[in-house]
Amino acid sequence: MIFVFDLDGTISFDGKSISLELLESLTELSLKNQLIFASARPIRDMLPLLSAFPKELLIGGNGSIARNKQQQIEIVQPISAHDFLLIKKIITDQDLDYLVDSDWNYALLNRDEERAQINDKIFVFDLDGTISFDGKSISLELLESLTELSLKNQLIFASARPIRDMLPLLSAFPKELLIGGNGSIARNKQQQIEIVQPISAHDFLLIKKIITDQDLDYLVDSDWNYALLNRDEERAQINDKIDQCHLAKNVSLSEIDRAIKCNLLNPQSEIILHEEAKSIDLTAKGVNKYTTLRQYFPKEEYIAFGNDDNDIQLLRHAELSIAVGSNQALDFADIHLNEKEILRYLEKIK
């Protein structure tokens, strides 16, 4: 049998993806049948949704273009030169916005995205101090704004926390990319946890020696379990943020084979100049939130929200950077908001 599927509103309901369950069903259907996909989208904009179907016939542009089974793109029928001249004259005379597609490239002028809703943007959010202010939750109002924002845009969350400790705050976002451990670990869109870059075995041995020699407290994370020794919770204030859902185990330091991040807790002034410091975070050299973002999105522009020193590179490279709080290291940011203003800002842009 031949099955022909439209995309938007038929098998894709957010304009950006097809659910994993539907993809599995379509793939199984394709084993004994012929699938064709037909859309108003040009072929260029069908491909991101249909990477699992590299050889199927794609009919795009409401029939004006196709990708054949040899993966060649063919213009079926272009708009005539005469008609295109008339269209361009109307655009100019009426000062209209437009999206005009050729076989691959396009011309876009869109001055009212709120109305058109076609410019899918990437928003990257830090967690603690940016959208979570008690270390244990995100307010219902912020969650609602983020959920609404995600309907038309792509959200990414990037934190110093390991993935394990990001999940309790982000259960409303089961398929978004999560960047954890200051870039050392990630949960991809297939919900798989990937170690991006562990601390080298040599460096981890040195860290463990420093811990022993200085009798330090610590939190050392692997990809899931952790080793925690915290004898001054009044100062460190982290115990209630670790493994809130009891998903992992607190193991001995000797049981951690691959460390993604080490926190030296409650350091003394001999270890760090600032005596008030609560912890020192250590990850593999050259790894941060921005470098890991670029592994998943090599060139895409994005809008970033952050509040701390570990957000500097992420914000510096953003198309638009929003700093939350009063950290002077982020004075370069384009926009500065306080805790109360971030909700109003999200309400404005969503």
Side-chain angles (χ1 to χ4, degrees):
M1 291 282 290
I2 298 174
F3 291 81
V4 185
F5 293 91
D6 172 51
L7 294 186
D8 295 286
T10 301
I11 58 174
S12 175
F13 301 98
D14 62 1
K16 296 177 285 186
S17 63
I18 300 171
S19 72
L20 184 60
E21 295 81 6
L22 265 176
L23 279 175
E24 289 175 347
S25 293
L26 290 167
T27 301
E28 189 171 345
L29 186 65
S30 71
L31 298 178
K32 299 178 182 178
N33 302 278
Q34 188 170 350
L35 305 192
I36 299 170
F37 299 92
S39 174
R41 298 178 178 225
I43 300 301
R44 173 197 70 234
D45 294 338
M46 296 176 71
L47 295 177
L49 276 69
L50 299 170
S51 59
F53 304 99
K55 296 183 179 180
E56 273 69 17
L57 172 64
L58 306 185
I59 299 171
N62 285 329
S64 61
I65 194 167
R67 184 195 72 182
N68 61 30
K69 288 193 172 185
Q70 290 73 45
Q71 296 183 288
Q72 299 168 324
I73 294 177
E74 306 171 317
I75 293 180
V76 177
Q77 182 63 58
I79 296 171
S80 71
H82 175 267
D83 289 346
F84 190 34
L85 281 173
L86 289 178
I87 291 168
K88 288 192 285 187
K89 187 176 188 304
I90 293 169
I91 288 172
T92 301
D93 291 348
Q94 300 295 325
D95 191 28
L96 298 175
D97 291 2
Y98 53 83
L99 170 60
V100 179
D101 286 299
S102 69
D103 56 343
W104 191 254
N105 294 323
Y106 60 95
L108 171 66
L109 175 65
N110 178 21
R111 294 165 292 190
D112 190 357
E113 168 57 10
E114 184 174 352
R115 186 177 177 190
Q117 299 177 5
I118 60 173
N119 291 341
D120 180 22
K121 288 188 176 293
I122 297 174
F123 290 83
V124 186
F125 292 90
D126 171 52
L127 293 185
D128 294 285
T130 300
I131 57 174
S132 175
F133 301 99
D134 63 2
K136 295 179 283 187
S137 63
I138 300 171
S139 73
L140 182 60
E141 294 81 7
L142 267 175
L143 277 175
E144 289 175 346
S145 290
L146 290 167
T147 300
E148 191 168 347
L149 186 67
S150 72
L151 298 178
K152 303 170 188 175
N153 303 278
Q154 189 161 354
L155 304 193
I156 298 168
F157 299 94
S159 175
R161 298 177 179 229
I163 301 301
R164 174 198 69 235
D165 294 339
M166 296 176 71
L167 295 176
L169 276 69
L170 299 170
S171 58
F173 304 99
K175 295 184 178 180
E176 274 67 17
L177 172 65
L178 306 185
I179 296 172
N182 284 329
S184 60
I185 195 168
R187 185 195 71 183
N188 62 29
K189 288 194 168 185
Q190 290 73 46
Q191 297 181 287
Q192 298 167 325
I193 294 177
E194 303 172 323
I195 293 180
V196 176
Q197 182 63 58
I199 295 170
S200 72
H202 174 267
D203 288 348
F204 190 34
L205 281 173
L206 288 178
I207 291 168
K208 288 191 285 188
K209 185 176 188 305
I210 292 170
I211 287 172
T212 301
D213 291 349
Q214 301 292 332
D215 190 27
L216 296 176
D217 290 358
Y218 54 82
L219 169 62
V220 177
D221 285 298
S222 68
D223 57 342
W224 193 250
N225 293 325
Y226 61 98
L228 170 66
L229 174 65
N230 179 19
R231 293 166 290 189
D232 190 354
E233 171 60 5
E234 184 177 351
R235 184 179 180 195
Q237 299 179 5
I238 64 165
N239 285 4
D240 60 353
K241 301 175 187 176
I242 299 170
D243 196 21
Q244 292 175 315
C245 295
H246 307 292
L247 302 171
K249 293 181 180 179
N250 182 4
V251 300
S252 68
L253 187 57
S254 62
E255 293 180 74
I256 302 290
D257 295 323
R258 299 176 77 199
I260 61 160
K261 187 165 76 80
C262 299
N263 295 66
L264 305 183
L265 305 177
N266 310 314
Q268 302 303 311
S269 58
E270 291 85 358
I271 302 297
I272 190 169
L273 293 177
H274 304 287
E275 294 185 19
E276 73 278 12
K278 296 177 182 178
S279 68
I280 305 170
D281 288 2
L282 303 171
T283 54
K285 184 178 180 180
V287 172
N288 58 58
K289 296 178 183 181
Y290 173 71
T291 58
T292 298
L293 174 67
R294 282 303 182 219
Q295 291 200 27
Y296 293 91
F297 295 90
K299 297 180 179 178
E300 291 83 348
E301 293 185 334
Y302 63 92
I303 298 168
F305 294 72
N307 79 306
D308 213 340
D309 289 17
N310 61 352
D311 298 311
I312 289 175
Q313 294 303 314
L314 186 67
L315 268 63
R316 279 201 182 279
H317 291 89
E319 174 189 11
L320 180 67
S321 56
I322 297 96
V324 180
S326 56
N327 188 343
Q328 292 183 352
L330 303 181
D331 283 349
F332 63 86
D334 299 307
I335 296 172
H336 294 265
L337 304 173
N338 61 36
E339 176 182 340
K340 295 179 180 178
E341 290 170 333
I342 187 170
L343 179 59
R344 290 199 295 269
Y345 185 79
L346 290 178
E347 291 289 329
K348 178 181 176 182
I349 65 173
K350 68 185 180 182

